């Protein structure tokens, strides 16, 4: 039986509020939405100076890394706050892929001695000097079949590979860290829906894989990769939360300022109802996202359930918020110059990232032993 002490802490601490203020100030000053829109149009969405300030200046890249290994020794709760702010600004940054997924996978590879290849790479990741990306399709969920990486075969839809220094590649005998600049490694850009999270097709030949560093054996590799994907899926909900919050706030602001028939359009009852419903969804999404972050931070046995709940709900809320933002802005929302389309594309991309909403619902049904309607019972 659960007790009050087992209840998740969904509130933000003072340290988390301070971290939020620092990240928001940085993004507002150097990585605001108009800047993101301009970079997306240029085809080069990443701002390396912004990433350096976020990863090394604020220390966000090392939040999940223990202090003994050169990190901040924080938790998934703090990383979730960073992702909320990155979602609010639709920032093109490899934080989710490198500082969460790749870092969490690397931590699960074993770093107790502090002298192995994994521990040394963690130090570089936590300082923001190196960006690492797990070479699996962005759509791969925590419980989905992992791609069978055959040397020389293409791995499609790998997020943020274009900016990565190191790729984590699953081989037959373990997990390898391969430098993207090494001979035999090819990273070819794809045309993504979400211009703020570029995708690439990655090819690593047998010689490049052999020349890389093996950071985990076959038995450890799969568990480490799944641990990274679970953390990524759980904290993706916080990015979706930040995105939905921005869309709601921007829509409320616009409907207060936009007048028709000599009154703000936000005063019309039909629009009030739509925004009130959206507010309820965003508040519920915040609870789900915070629950997932807290479960990951405390290494709760219920973390897979919390992550499944968060992803089953937050993905759809983010899409709904972005759709309402576009529609309630009227003609302005349909233009390229307004950033609403960036949020809609990011929301649609996030909805299928790290497992689709439907796959997380199926996982939720399995974990709670609740069969889907029409499913056979035993």
């Amino acid at each position: 039986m659960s007790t009050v002490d087992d209840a998740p802490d969904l509130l933000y601490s003072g340290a988390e509020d301070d971290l939020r203020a620092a990240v928001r100030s940085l993004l507002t000053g150097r990585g605001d939405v108009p800047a993101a829109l301009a970079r997306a149009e240029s085809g080069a969405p990443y701002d390396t100076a912004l990433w350096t300030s976020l990863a090394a200046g604020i220390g966000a890249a090392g939040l999940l890394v223990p202090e003994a290994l050169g990190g901040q020794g924080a938790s998934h709760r703090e990383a979730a706050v960073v992702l909320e702010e990155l979602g609010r600004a639709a920032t093109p940054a490899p934080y989710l892929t490198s500082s969460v997924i790749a870092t969490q996978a690397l931590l699960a590879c074993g770093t107790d001695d502090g002298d192995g290849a994994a521990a040394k790479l963690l130090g570089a990741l936590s300082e923001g000097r190196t960006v690492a990306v797990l070479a699996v399709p962005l759509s791969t969920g925590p419980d989905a079949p992992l791609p069978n990486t055959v040397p020389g075969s293409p791995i499609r839809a790998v997020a943020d590979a274009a900016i990565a220094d190191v790729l984590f590649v699953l081989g037959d005998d373990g997990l390898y860290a391969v430098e993207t600049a090494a001979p035999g490694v090819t990273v070819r850009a794809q045309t993504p829906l979400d211009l703020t999270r570029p995708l690439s097709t990655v090819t690593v030949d047998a010689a490049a894989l052999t020349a890389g560093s093996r950071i985990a054996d076959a038995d450890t590799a799969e568990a480490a990769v799944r641990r990274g994907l679970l953390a990524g899926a759980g904290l993706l909900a916080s990015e979706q939360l930040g995105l939905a919050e921005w869309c709601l706030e921007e829509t409320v602001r616009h409907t207060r300022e936009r007048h028709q028939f000599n009154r703000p359009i936000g005063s019309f009852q039909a629009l009030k109802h739509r925004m009130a419903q959206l507010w309820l969804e965003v508040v519920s999404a915040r609870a789900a996202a915070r629950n997932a972050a807290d479960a990951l931070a405390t290494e709760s046995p219920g973390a897979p359930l919390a992550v499944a709940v968060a992803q089953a709900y937050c993905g759809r809320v983010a899409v709904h918020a972005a759709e309402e933002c576009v529609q309630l802005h009227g003609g302005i929302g349909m233009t390229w110059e307004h950033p609403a389309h960036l949020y809609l594309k990011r929301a649609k991309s996030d909805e299928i990232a790290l497992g689709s909403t439907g796959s997380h619902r199926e996982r939720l049904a399995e974990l709670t032993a609740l069969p889907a309607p029409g499913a056979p019972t035993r």
Side-chain angles (χ1 to χ4, degrees):
M1 180 178 295
S2 62
T3 64
V4 174
D5 293 337
D6 298 327
D9 181 5
L10 305 185
L11 301 178
Y12 297 98
S13 67
E16 290 165 3
D17 287 336
D18 291 341
L19 175 61
R20 180 190 306 282
V23 175
R24 185 173 297 186
S25 176
L26 172 66
L27 297 181
T28 301
R30 300 178 57 180
D32 57 4
V33 173
L37 181 59
R39 288 194 300 271
E41 287 181 313
S42 71
Y46 299 109
D47 184 343
T48 54
L50 175 63
W51 170 248
T52 300
S53 298
L54 176 68
I58 293 180
L63 287 175
L64 298 183
V65 181
E67 291 184 83
L69 295 174
Q72 306 300 322
S75 74
H76 300 78
R77 292 173 57 92
E78 288 78 11
V81 170
V82 175
L83 280 165
E84 284 182 34
E85 294 306 309
L86 293 175
R88 286 181 64 93
T91 305
Y95 190 80
L96 178 68
T97 48
S98 180
S99 302
V100 175
I101 299 174
T103 296
Q104 187 71 74
L106 201 53
L107 284 167
C109 288
T111 56
D112 294 338
D113 57 7
D115 296 322
K120 293 178 180 178
L121 186 52
L122 270 175
L125 290 177
S126 65
E127 294 172 3
R129 293 184 287 108
T130 298
V131 172
V133 169
L134 188 62
V136 298
L138 179 61
S139 60
T140 307
D143 299 292
L146 297 178
N148 184 16
T149 305
V150 177
S153 63
I155 309 169
R156 294 181 174 84
V158 180
D160 294 328
I163 198 175
D165 303 299
V166 176
L167 297 169
F168 292 164
V169 183
L170 273 170
D172 291 336
D173 58 344
L175 186 65
Y176 286 81
V178 180
E179 294 185 1
T180 54
V185 178
T186 303
V187 178
R188 180 170 53 84
Q190 296 180 239
T191 302
L193 170 66
D194 175 16
L195 299 177
T196 65
R197 181 167 281 150
L199 304 177
S200 302
T201 296
V202 173
T203 305
V204 180
D205 65 20
L209 191 64
T210 303
S213 301
R214 196 175 78 150
I215 55 179
D217 58 29
D219 293 334
T220 305
E222 181 174 349
V225 168
R226 292 197 182 281
R227 179 63 183 172
L229 293 174
L230 181 68
L235 297 191
L236 176 63
S238 293
E239 178 182 294
Q240 292 164 327
L241 169 62
L243 186 156
E245 287 179 334
W246 184 90
C247 290
L248 176 59
E249 293 172 11
E250 175 65 16
T251 302
V252 171
R253 181 202 62 77
H254 174 75
T255 55
R256 282 176 175 170
E257 297 177 358
R258 175 69 172 171
H259 284 66
Q260 286 184 355
F261 306 109
N262 203 31
R263 59 185 292 190
I265 61 174
S267 65
F268 296 123
Q269 189 175 39
L271 300 192
K272 285 183 178 180
H273 288 173
R274 289 172 65 170
M275 286 182 282
Q277 176 60 38
L278 187 56
W279 181 85
L280 290 173
E281 293 178 9
V282 170
V283 170
S284 298
R286 183 180 300 114
R290 292 298 294 169
N291 181 49
D294 186 75
L296 291 167
T298 58
E299 298 184 355
S300 168
L305 177 61
V307 170
V309 170
Q311 274 305 304
Y313 187 74
C314 293
R316 184 55 207 161
V317 171
V319 171
H320 183 210
E323 289 173 341
E324 291 287 75
C325 183
V326 170
Q327 188 172 36
L328 296 184
H329 272 75
I332 297 173
M334 302 295 178
T335 63
W336 181 270
E337 288 74 16
H338 194 279
H341 67 93
L342 289 181
Y343 286 85
L344 179 57
K345 292 170 184 174
R346 170 66 73 92
K348 293 295 289 184
S349 176
D350 281 358
E351 192 179 25
I352 60 173
L354 300 170
S356 66
T357 300
S359 67
H360 285 288
R361 287 176 178 169
E362 292 177 357
R363 180 59 176 161
L364 179 58
E366 293 174 3
L367 292 171
T368 55
L370 291 174
T377 57
R378 297 181 181 179

